[in-house]
Amino acid sequence: MTTRKLVSLAALAMSTLAISAIAQEPAKPGTATTDVKSPQAQYEAAPYASGVEMHKNANAKAPAMSEAEFQKARQIYFERCAGCHGVLRKGATGKPLTPDITLAKGTDYLKVFIAYGSPAGMPNWQTSGEFDEATVDLMARYVQQEPPTPPEWSLDDAKKTWKVTVAPKDRPTKKMNNYNLQNIFSTTLRDAGEVALIDGDTKEIINVIKTGYAVHISRVSASGRYLFVIGRDAKINMIDLWMEKPDSVAEIRVGLEARSVETSKFKGYEDKLAIAGSYWPPQFTIMDGDTLEPKKIISTRGMVVGKQEYHPEPRVASILASHYKPEFIVNVKETGKTLMVDYSNLNAVKMTEIESAPFLHDGGLDASKRYFMVAANQSNKIAAIDTKDGKLAGLTEVGKIPHPGRGANFTHPKFGPVWSTGHLGDDTISLIGTDPAKHKQYAFKEVAKLKGPGGGALFVKSHPKSSHLWSDAPLNPDPAVSQSIVVYDINNLDKGYKVLPIAEWAGLKDDGGKRVVQPEYNKAGDEVWFAVWSAKNKESAIVVVDDKTLKLKKVIKDPRLITPTGHFNLYNTQHDVY
């Protein structure tokens, strides 16, 4: 096939197969796009379902594949594609890749996009060197087959993975170390499958703990004693911070892929329960808060809001514990529903279903801790969930593909309390009013839009004791943007942002990407920590900046800091300070 024909096919197929809408033109052969070795592709991918038996479903219209070819392609799909397109290929961040679409386009169409990608977000698997021509052909044929369904994950399956390495009776009855537990940072060492506990006072590593692959979040129990981390392979570790050297005391797998974990925080239920949400199977698991023993599994399969069409794979994105009721706030991605799960009686679980918009992702509480602000990222909306009254308080149109992390709260000089989010798909930061009591005219409306350096932002952050708002952009294709951070003066937002060269300050000896990710405050609110995320075989670092002077304060380097990404201050995480 000629180059001219390849480009033509790419243009025809673009609307069907592009992952996102950051750009509208397909890549030409040889043009760099979303490289599979970039953090964006790695951030989405998760090598789950390894070793799981799934068999080829016959489809007479699909291209021929041997059983060996099918199994090889299946594993590649799980490792590289399912995070965006879904296990059943129904689409999520990426477009659907079901046979009714892929068969109509044919093998040649599919090979174009797999090989060359597109500026809209489809990785260029062949031109990056990750796939050879034979693998591209293999995957083009594979996505025309009927998608195999992975096995379910029952209570018995979870119990088979459950381990209590230190029983509650054998754990300390008082704190056995001199660490300031409220100023420890839990740092994800993504590709190493570990977390590093870093002393925020001394800037020294306390311990490096083996966990699941690519820990997505760290959460702290209501008492502050236990730290819970969950890998994308659905493995949870429960870490006892009272031990002489804090370490894992229990673990479990709650499925084949997951993202979220949380613990009960309502008065009288502190530390009693833990909950984890799975991508596959689409369900959530409630566990004992002392041991992680699984108690209850509830499926999230159901109808999509608006269209009222059944979706077989609505994944659990973010989970939060309510401060107003004995409830977990469970956000279901594909169906666009928030479930208020009453955990007071696990034998008769009551759930309130709140409809907002599809593809709910991450978010955080407003400053009052009453409203949960969650991004419906492919709908370009922010839903405000009233955790006190159990209803949708507002649905706000924002920029393209909001990705707030937990968001950032601060008091705007004109609009009062606001919550903010950056975007993957454009260069703005949206400010949303969150005070219906005193600023009703601005409540749950986009009151301002700040201009940033470019798209690709993952996290924004502020602090009640700070006058600054910080934003990263680690997935921006421009190294000058992805290797720096921007900071705004909250009292003078019209002035624009100041750029800090965080990766340059890190002084790393070689270039492994050096993406700067996730501003995170210490407990005092006078330091901001950043991860400088390089490749697995390259040097990475943590950079600490003085929040008042905006000057470099400390660079933390250690051979054990392998691919640091998310990092969570334990006090701020425990108390929902952001």
Side-chain angles (χ1 to χ4, degrees):
M1 185 177 293
T2 66
T3 297
R4 187 179 300 238
K5 287 181 179 178
L6 285 173
V7 176
S8 176
L9 289 173
L12 288 170
M14 177 64 196
S15 63
T16 301
L17 295 175
I19 287 182
S20 65
I22 297 173
Q24 295 301 320
E25 294 298 324
K28 293 179 174 63
T31 302
T33 61
T34 307
D35 194 292
V36 299
K37 296 178 182 178
S38 77
Q40 181 172 357
Q42 295 179 37
Y43 191 80
E44 291 291 346
Y48 74 109
S50 179
V52 173
E53 288 295 326
M54 283 182 282
H55 299 288
K56 182 172 177 284
N57 295 324
N59 187 331
K61 297 181 180 179
M65 290 192 83
S66 69
E67 183 66 26
E69 285 181 320
F70 183 85
Q71 293 302 332
K72 179 180 178 180
R74 177 189 67 80
Q75 189 64 31
I76 292 171
Y77 180 85
F78 281 132
E79 293 178 355
R80 301 296 191 183
C81 315
C84 282
H85 295 284
V87 173
L88 302 181
R89 305 210 300 264
K90 296 286 187 180
T93 305
K95 296 293 185 179
L97 292 176
T98 47
D100 60 314
I101 296 171
T102 56
L103 280 170
K105 295 303 178 183
T107 302
D108 286 338
Y109 282 83
L110 300 172
K111 286 168 67 174
V112 168
F113 275 93
I114 296 170
Y116 298 107
S118 84
M122 179 69 180
N124 54 324
W125 296 103
Q126 184 174 331
T127 56
S128 69
E130 189 75 10
F131 286 1
D132 58 19
E133 188 174 346
T135 304
V136 170
D137 177 75
L138 177 73
M139 297 309 296
R141 287 183 287 132
Y142 173 77
V143 295
Q144 295 175 76
Q145 313 292 325
E146 292 294 332
T149 303
E152 300 298 318
W153 196 265
S154 67
L155 191 69
D156 187 55
D157 293 323
K159 284 185 175 180
K160 289 176 182 175
T161 71
W162 172 48
K163 299 177 183 176
V164 178
T165 50
V166 182
K169 65 181 180 63
D170 298 323
R171 296 174 196 165
T173 56
K174 62 180 181 179
K175 183 169 165 292
M176 300 299 291
N177 59 63
N178 294 320
Y179 299 118
N180 176 9
L181 300 186
Q182 296 186 335
N183 203 34
I184 289 176
F185 287 75
S186 174
T187 298
T188 296
L189 306 180
R190 189 187 190 283
D191 293 345
E194 299 171 333
V195 293
L197 301 183
I198 304 177
D199 188 324
D201 295 340
T202 66
K203 314 299 190 288
E204 299 291 329
I205 295 177
I206 295 169
N207 197 12
V208 174
I209 301 169
K210 291 299 294 183
T211 61
Y213 172 79
V215 161
H216 193 240
I217 57 171
S218 299
R219 288 292 181 261
V220 183
S221 66
S223 68
R225 173 172 182 172
Y226 292 111
L227 170 67
F228 296 80
V229 300
I230 187 165
R232 297 196 173 197
D233 57 1
K235 181 181 177 182
I236 303 170
N237 286 82
M238 178 181 178
I239 297 165
D240 187 353
L241 300 169
W242 279 13
M243 297 172 70
E244 187 174 352
K245 179 182 282 189
D247 209 339
S248 181
V249 294
E251 63 181 59
I252 192 173
R253 283 192 72 188
V254 292
L256 299 177
E257 187 182 5
R259 293 293 191 277
S260 51
V261 68
E262 179 62 292
T263 68
S264 53
K265 292 184 176 178
F266 187 67
K267 186 176 181 180
Y269 294 90
E270 298 94 336
D271 295 22
K272 298 293 185 184
L273 296 170
I275 182 174
S278 300
Y279 266 27
W280 188 270
Q283 60 194 33
F284 57 89
T285 304
I286 300 176
M287 298 156 283
D288 182 88
D290 281 334
T291 65
L292 294 181
E293 179 184 4
K295 297 288 188 182
K296 188 84 174 180
I297 296 178
I298 298 176
S299 173
T300 54
R301 291 181 171 98
M303 312 305 283
V304 178
V305 300
K307 296 185 295 183
Q308 299 295 300
E309 295 175 352
Y310 177 75
H311 200 295
E313 192 189 346
R315 300 175 287 180
V316 177
S318 50
I319 301 178
L320 196 82
S322 172
H323 294 270
Y324 285 89
K325 300 175 184 178
E327 288 182 337
F328 291 123
I329 306 159
V330 178
N331 295 282
V332 187
K333 186 182 286 284
E334 281 75 11
T335 55
K337 296 176 181 178
T338 298
L339 306 178
M340 312 297 284
V341 182
D342 186 333
Y343 54 72
S344 62
N345 183 356
L346 294 186
N347 293 319
V349 175
K350 299 176 183 177
M351 289 195 295
T352 300
E353 180 180 286
I354 301 172
E355 295 188 351
S356 54
F359 303 108
L360 296 178
H361 193 57
D362 56 358
L365 291 169
D366 79 307
S368 74
K369 297 182 173 56
R370 174 171 175 172
Y371 301 100
F372 181 63
M373 313 293 289
V374 58
N377 58 13
Q378 292 301 307
S379 298
N380 301 328
K381 293 179 173 65
I382 299 294
I385 307 298
D386 186 338
T387 66
K388 181 178 180 181
D389 292 344
K391 65 181 183 180
L392 182 69
L395 192 60
T396 307
E397 190 87 25
V398 290
K400 189 176 291 183
I401 315 178
H403 194 289
R406 288 165 289 172
N409 291 299
F410 61 92
T411 300
H412 190 280
K414 176 180 178 181
F415 305 116
V418 296
W419 179 91
S420 52
T421 178
H423 300 86
L424 281 167
D426 68 31
D427 61 356
T428 65
I429 295 175
S430 294
L431 309 185
I432 300 172
T434 59
D435 183 14
K438 296 181 180 179
H439 299 82
K440 186 177 181 180
Q441 69 272 38
Y442 305 129
F444 312 119
K445 297 177 182 177
E446 185 185 58
V447 295
K449 226 184 237 300
L450 307 181
K451 184 78 169 177
L458 289 180
F459 302 101
V460 290
K461 192 59 62 73
S462 189
H463 190 278
K465 296 182 180 178
S466 173
S467 61
H468 291 129
L469 171 67
W470 302 80
S471 177
D472 65 12
L475 303 189
N476 191 284
D478 184 352
V481 177
S482 65
Q483 295 182 6
S484 61
I485 203 81
V486 298
V487 56
Y488 301 81
D489 181 350
I490 290 170
N491 297 313
N492 194 3
L493 291 170
D494 292 338
K495 186 178 179 180
Y497 57 81
K498 183 174 182 179
V499 179
L500 302 185
I502 301 297
E504 179 183 322
W505 287 354
L508 301 180
K509 57 190 175 186
D510 50 25
D511 185 7
K514 297 190 293 190
R515 307 282 177 139
V516 176
V517 63
Q518 193 163 341
E520 180 78 356
Y521 277 87
N522 64 345
K523 181 195 174 185
D526 57 11
E527 292 178 354
V528 190
W529 291 40
F530 303 92
V532 183
W533 169 22
S534 289
K536 186 175 181 180
N537 61 346
K538 302 292 184 179
E539 186 180 37
S540 293
I542 302 291
V543 171
V544 182
V545 176
D546 187 304
D547 182 67
K548 299 292 189 295
T549 65
L550 306 185
K551 302 294 184 182
L552 175 65
K553 189 169 184 178
K554 176 75 174 180
V555 177
I556 305 172
K557 293 182 181 178
D558 191 290
R560 294 171 289 176
L561 289 178
I562 300 169
T563 58
T565 52
H567 44 277
F568 300 83
N569 175 269
L570 299 194
Y571 178 86
N572 294 337
T573 301
Q574 177 188 356
H575 296 281
D576 296 301
V577 177
Y578 26 85

